[in-house]
Amino acid sequence: MVTAVLNVAAQRHGSWRVLVVSGDLDVATAPRLVDYLAGASWTDPPPRIALELSGLRFCGAAGLRAFVDGWERAASLGGDLVLVAPPRRVVEFLGIFRADHITIADAVTDLPQ
């Protein structure tokens, strides 16, 4: 049995709080991302959270739910949550689950300032 591993590192890029997410995002590891999102800068007016996903190997339904919940929270506060460099399968699943309203950027340097 292989244990899923998720790594999350926080950075800043201008006014954006960037969480660099790598590894496997599944039902076992998604709570860790949810915890990081809960501790993100939601008080920065408005909150701007970017999830840098280029190192994501796997993303299951629990990971997609974390993205949608994070986006909804940011939007409710007048902010935004952007997925940066997500794997192609993540983009496809967002469309299938009608969550394609979440903004996608190719790189952190593409985030609006």
Side-chain angles (χ1 to χ4, degrees), residues 78-96:
D80 202 3
L81 181 137
V82 174
L83 303 182
V84 177
R88 187 183 56 130
R89 295 295 293 166
V90 169
V91 176
E92 291 170 358
F93 284 134
L94 290 172
I96 290 169

Side-chain angles (χ1 to χ4, degrees), residues 30-86:
R32 185 160 181 222
L33 178 60
V34 169
D35 288 346
Y36 271 93
L37 285 171
S41 300
W42 297 109
T43 56
D44 291 347
R48 301 174 97 189
I49 310 296
L51 299 178
E52 203 290 344
L53 303 174
S54 64
L56 196 63
R57 289 186 306 248
F58 173 82
C59 182
L64 294 173
R65 181 80 252 159
F67 300 156
V68 171
D69 289 349
W71 181 88
E72 288 174 349
R73 180 159 186 207
S76 74
L77 297 170
D80 202 3
L81 181 137
V82 174
L83 303 182
V84 177

